[in-house]
Amino acid sequence: MKRIIVIFIMNFFLIGCESESTELEMQGFNLPEWLKGDYEGVHTGEYLRISNDYVYFKVESQEFHFFPSMIILETEDENKYIITTETDVLIFNKTTLNEEINFQFNDLNLGWFKSKKIE
């Protein structure tokens, strides 16, 4: 009888853990409003897209996609937002111009990105 109760409790616990992990995977980035949007590199002309669902950009013809499930840590202050994964760090800095940000990928400063208007 004790075994049946233990098995029932363990199954209940496992079902509870599964629903929590599903909820975490479905959550998006916790982005500040000033950061969301599509950008174009001022000097590089490269494309950068930042949304609650993913971050996309290219460096030297290599495409990078980052999703909320990859996040280990998100850090935000008034002028900076940092995403940390197991292997990479993305740093977004707010500039004095509302439509521009500075973007750093690991140790590589990718420079200024201007907000791109979608028509």
Side-chain angles (χ1 to χ4, degrees):
M1 184 67 170
K2 288 181 182 179
R3 288 184 185 173
I4 293 172
I5 293 172
V6 169
I7 291 172
F8 177 75
I9 291 173
M10 290 191 63
N11 282 335
F12 183 72
F13 178 73
L14 289 174
I15 290 170
C17 288
E18 286 177 17
S19 65
E20 285 181 27
S21 62
T22 303
E23 287 177 19
L24 289 174
E25 289 175 15
M26 294 175 65
Q27 291 178 351
F29 290 111
N30 189 24
L31 298 172
E33 286 300 317
W34 60 263
L35 185 56
K36 296 176 187 176
D38 295 329
Y39 296 89
E40 183 176 1
V42 172
H43 302 289
T44 63
E46 293 290 350
Y47 180 73
L48 167 65
R49 172 170 273 176
I50 305 169
S51 73
N52 284 334
D53 300 323
Y54 64 92
V55 174
Y56 165 82
F57 60 94
K58 260 173 44 175
V59 176
E60 298 175 357
S61 301
Q62 184 176 356
E63 295 183 357
F64 292 91
H65 298 271
F66 291 90
F67 300 97
S69 61
M70 300 167 72
I71 295 175
I72 292 176
L73 179 65
E74 288 180 273
T75 308
E76 178 185 358
D77 66 25
E78 187 177 340
N79 296 315
K80 185 183 281 191
Y81 181 76
I82 302 171
I83 297 172
T84 305
T85 70
E86 280 189 30
T87 57
D88 299 301
V89 177
L90 289 75
I91 302 172
F92 303 96
N93 292 298
K94 190 175 185 179
T95 67
T96 54
L97 300 173
N98 287 340
E99 68 274 357
E100 288 188 3
I101 62 169
N102 181 272
F103 176 40
Q104 183 177 337
F105 175 59
N106 295 326
D107 292 330
L108 182 63
N109 187 350
L110 299 176
W112 303 103
F113 283 78
K114 187 173 181 109
S115 182
K116 189 174 179 180
K117 303 292 184 218
I118 300 176
E119 298 175 13

